[in-house]
Amino acid sequence: MNLTLKIWRQKDGRSKGQMVSYKVSEISEHMSFLEMMDVLNEQLVNSGDEPVAFDHDCREGICGMCSMQINGEPHGPDRGVTTCQLHMRMFKDGDTITIEPFRAKAFPVIKDLVVDRTAFERIQHAGGFISVNTSGNTQDANAIPIDKHVADHAMDAATCIGCGACVAACKNASAMLFVGAKVSQYALLPQGQVEATERVLSMVAQMDKEGFGNCTNTGACEIECPKGISLENIARMNREYLKASLKG
Amino acid sequence: MGILSSSIARKVAMALSGLFLVFFLGQHFVINLTSVIASDTFNSWSHFMGTNGLVQGILQPVLIFGVIFHFVMGLVLEIRNRNARAINYKSYNGSANSSWASRNMIISGLVILAFLGLHFYDFWVPEIMYKYIESNPEDATRYFPEVVHKFESPVRTGLYVIAFVLLMLHLWHGFASSFQSVGFNNKYSKALTGFAKVYAIVIPLGFIFIAVYHHFNQLHH
Ligand code: SF4
Ligand code: FES
């Protein structure tokens, strides 16, 4: 395939960026989107230009590092996949592909397509954990019986890889799907109950402090999430939050 | 904003005020519907609503407050949400993952607000004039002819129809979405969402029918 790429180039956080057009040829439909980006970067390096900076690590859909807004959608047009799992067969010969960084005030651009997603980490630090004392007397987790359905829901919530596609897709740049998933994975299990009240209050407070927008239930996050995190998790977080607020 | 300082609190407030307005809309619709079925019933119900102390002194101010609150809150949310994405995408494929109605609540909302201005001018202002400024004696048969007279104008009828179409879009997203906001998402959600979607279509369509009915009905006479 021969493709035209329109890519956001930005030297650093302070510079103004702009879209730049590139041409790549002989792209195999079996390549992943990031492999296609590698081809472009080799081409750029060979001609003495600055390669396009983009995030990636595992390249198998588990680390949540890869990002990119591809043709107006985070992780591109395919469903249930990250950018590293997106195949070039989703595109046609001669296509023009627009590639931009995830956009949100809380995700400032570091360079080109790389954005700073440490806001998510600060939200996690605010309460996305349980405190256990591993003194040797700790009860074995498997000794606490948990309904299979409940365990499954908790596991589903826990599959969130923190990629930020939910924020990127949302017209309001809201982080509620991410925070909803993180709150839910503990709220559903007995191990999460001890800190439940404090957890939801502090995580939501941190989310607001980071400057994410307000959820208006458009549902864009759920559709674009590579892990299929359900909107149910946002409803659960809202419930947990209301419960916690009443307790104070 | 104290209690409304968190994003979830604002979301819940938006949902609850919206649900209240949805409830009011249903009540308003039932009364209006009597105007095409039985003008006597319409007159007597309107007379009750227009003269009852509880309705006039308490429910009406609560309603006006509800409308203003829902609007101001919606505007605050819109501004905050725009700020949350300082630089916009060059290419944003919103229709790939969400409905037009859900992404444009501010547009449908503003049209409805403009309509409310017209609606107040058409009915509420003359009502206040009649009752409290000119202090006319109450005539329990005046309501039906007043309504019919209003829908003589094709322009007004047309504007009402347009507003109701936008109301449909607003409710299509807003009503069902309010359950999610208050944290209601379980095995009953599907049925409730279904009801909300039907309501979002049927009630505005009903209002359109009533307006158009009165407009064309009098052309025959
Ligand atoms: S909820 Fe989905 S889209 Fe959002 S960060 Fe987690 S995995 Fe990514
Ligand atoms: S690079 Fe790890 S999820 Fe894409």
Side-chain angles (χ1 to χ4, degrees), chain B residues 6 34 40 49 56 58 64 76-78 98 103-104 114 119-120 184 189 197 199 219:
Chain B
S6 95
T34 61
D40 293 347
M49 297 300 276
Q56 289 292 305
I58 297 178
I64 293 175
V76 168
L77 286 174
E78 179 70 19
S98 53
R103 277 176 285 123
N104 293 283
H119 193 50
F120 259 53
F184 191 83
S189 305
K197 297 284 184 197
Y199 189 98
L219 294 185

Side-chain angles (χ1 to χ4, degrees), chain A residues 1-3 24-29 31 35-36 39 88:
Chain A
M1 296 192 252
N2 298 326
L3 301 164
V24 282
S25 45
E26 286 169 46
I27 297 296
S28 151
E29 57 170 17
M31 281 182 182
E35 283 166 338
M36 184 278 293
V39 171
M88 291 314 292

Side-chain angles (χ1 to χ4, degrees), chain B residues 107-129:
Chain B
I107 294 179
S108 51
L110 285 174
V111 172
I112 295 164
L113 188 74
F115 163 77
L116 283 181
L118 172 69
H119 193 50
F120 259 53
Y121 169 79
D122 281 348
F123 291 97
W124 195 74
V125 174
E127 191 61 22
I128 297 294
M129 291 291 281

Side-chain angles (χ1 to χ4, degrees), chain A residues 43-98:
Chain A
Q43 200 173 298
L44 288 174
V45 170
N46 286 342
S47 60
D49 291 322
E50 179 81 9
V52 179
F54 61 88
D55 266 326
H56 62 107
D57 188 16
C58 71
R59 294 209 179 194
E60 56 185 36
I62 52 170
C63 73
M65 259 329 265
C66 58
S67 52
M68 298 191 200
Q69 187 85 353
I70 301 163
N71 283 344
E73 289 181 77
H75 300 303
D78 208 355
R79 294 286 169 255
V81 296
T82 52
T83 299
C84 58
Q85 299 171 297
L86 178 67
H87 278 103
M88 291 314 292
R89 68 178 79 103
M90 292 300 291
F91 302 92
K92 289 192 309 291
D93 185 39
D95 273 2
T96 298
I97 307 175
T98 314

Side-chain angles (χ1 to χ4, degrees), chain A residues 116-186:
Chain A
D116 180 353
R117 283 170 283 181
T118 46
F120 270 12
E121 262 139 67
R122 288 187 291 272
I123 295 174
Q124 281 286 63
H125 291 169
F129 51 80
I130 56 163
S131 311
V132 274
N133 212 339
T134 51
S135 58
N137 302 324
T138 321
Q139 191 179 8
D140 188 282
N142 291 327
I144 306 169
I146 297 165
D147 183 312
K148 171 84 169 102
H149 295 104
V150 174
D152 283 351
H153 280 307
M155 186 60 208
D156 285 347
T159 57
C160 163
I161 53 175
C163 63
C166 40
V167 175
C170 177
K171 87 182 221 317
N172 311 318
S174 165
M176 285 220 185
L177 194 64
F178 167 76
V179 184
K182 295 302 171 198
V183 166
S184 288
Q185 84 183 62
Y186 298 111

Side-chain angles (χ1 to χ4, degrees), chain B residues 3-103:
Chain B
I3 182 172
L4 294 176
S5 62
S6 95
S7 55
I8 295 184
R10 283 191 291 268
K11 182 177 158 128
V12 171
M14 207 56 197
L16 293 180
S17 56
L19 282 175
F20 168 70
L21 295 177
V22 164
F23 180 75
F24 160 74
L25 199 70
Q27 175 264 117
H28 195 331
F29 175 72
V30 171
I31 297 183
N32 285 19
L33 194 60
T34 61
S35 73
V36 300
I37 300 170
S39 52
D40 293 347
T41 315
F42 181 74
N43 273 332
S44 65
W45 285 9
S46 302
H47 170 73
F48 170 80
M49 297 300 276
T51 50
N52 182 277
L54 188 72
V55 173
Q56 289 292 305
I58 297 178
L59 294 186
Q60 180 164 282
V62 168
L63 176 65
I64 293 175
F65 173 79
V67 170
I68 295 174
F69 180 85
H70 193 71
F71 164 65
V72 171
M73 207 63 207
L75 205 62
V76 168
L77 286 174
E78 179 70 19
I79 293 169
R80 283 176 161 269
N81 289 344
R82 281 180 187 237
N83 287 338
R85 176 162 292 133
I87 302 169
N88 282 322
Y89 290 113
K90 295 270 182 270
S91 147
Y92 181 73
N93 191 0
S95 57
N97 50 38
S98 53
S99 67
W100 187 93
S102 74
R103 277 176 285 123

